[in-house]
Amino acid sequence: MPVLGQLDLSENQLSGEVPLQLGKMESLIQVNISHNNLHGSLPTTGAFLAINSSAVAGNDLCGGDETIGLPPCKKFKNRNRWFFVICSLGALVLLAVVAIGFILIRRRNNLALKRVENEDGIWELQFFDSKVFKSITVDDITLSAQEVNGICRDKPFVVKEMKEVNSIPSSFWSEIKHLGKLQHPNIVNLIGTCRSGKCAYLVYEYIEGKLLTETLHNLPWEKRRKIAMGIAKALRFLHSYCSPSVIVGDMSPESAIVDGRDEPRLRVSFPVPLSIENKAVVSSAYVAPARESKDMSEKSDIYGFGLILIELLTGKSPADAEFGEQHQSIVDWARYCYSECHLDTWVDPMIRPAHASNVNQIEIVETMNLALHCTAGDPASRPSATNVLNTLWSAFRITSCVSTLKFSSTV
């Protein structure tokens, strides 16, 4: 429209901003854009230079000549404000990155291998928790090792002495570092190591509670079930989520601490990464048959867990000498009882069916079935830790559903 002189767009419910091109039309003399839904800044060229206030009324416009009554535009002020906000946020992010980097560097320095000399020689200290780096000394560790159970009376940690230090390969100490980084609610945290040419110690966090062997026979089935689940979770974590995988080696009730919430905490008393060629030889009634004792594996841990399940169910331990000539071991006795005897014969009196619901009896039978699979003579026939946990989860969940349905039906 090269010769357009007048343009009346009033009361048309137009929205958006006024096109800047309208201000560049040389032929346009008069414009009326009143009573629409227009917003933004008014063009400052052409017909808009002398536009009447009534021609722009009824919109949400800004700018233009002061005589037309529009407020000044804050566009540039907003840009400055946003620029300031963005710069401020950028500075804060930069400061946060620098602070985190400083903390990480300081923490790495704190957790670095330290060499300390005392009257007994040169010691190498390696801590995995920066909170205890400055609070635990070599003297604290060696004195605690002489106490009963290696418990430090003044500071919350427990010391475990490692036997036959000279037979431990040097690669073990470099690989053990990743154990200190492992965090799991059913595992006692390894917070440091301390070694010299003559002896070595593992330093664990102190857990307020009792060993499973001390409390097992006084627990109802619900608590025993919780302990079985907790240990299974710990094994799954060590076998499936650690890289490289870690085996416990001495998988027994002596390695499990039951805390005040009846939650088991597994202490890897002699942690053995599978990548170490020289496997540890563990002497325990809970170790798999003799042919496996020199070649520890994940399936060896599963065998020990199966024995723990049998003990949780029967109240008897592998060390008991009451199985007679007919049964060479607790596993043989458990297999016989499971297939030939009534439930009352082999279940611990504390959780015997007379004191347990039908739902609990189903759980007990399912758990014994799993225990016998875990203690299979052929390691390849034993389930993995993941399968063990899934089986327990399934058994306990199904019986819980049965319990709920039964309760609902009586209502």
Side-chain angles (χ1 to χ4, degrees), residues 39 156 212 267 399:
H39 67 273
L212 181 56
R267 185 173 68 187
T399 51

Side-chain angles (χ1 to χ4, degrees), residues 2-79:
V3 295
L4 179 63
Q6 295 184 0
L7 179 61
D8 188 352
L9 299 174
S10 62
E11 300 183 11
N12 273 286
Q13 300 183 2
L14 300 177
S15 61
E17 297 184 352
V18 180
L20 296 178
Q21 191 65 26
L22 288 179
K24 298 179 181 180
M25 295 179 61
E26 297 180 357
S27 62
L28 193 60
I29 299 174
Q30 186 175 356
V31 179
N32 187 353
I33 56 174
S34 62
H35 302 292
N36 283 290
N37 299 316
L38 299 171
H39 67 273
S41 60
L42 194 69
T44 57
T45 58
F48 294 95
L49 287 172
I51 194 169
N52 192 285
S53 60
S54 61
V56 296
N59 292 288
D60 188 20
L61 297 168
C62 65
D65 191 277
E66 294 181 359
T67 60
I68 61 177
L70 295 179
C73 293
K74 299 180 180 180
K75 185 175 182 180
F76 295 103
K77 292 184 177 180
N78 288 338
R79 283 183 179 178

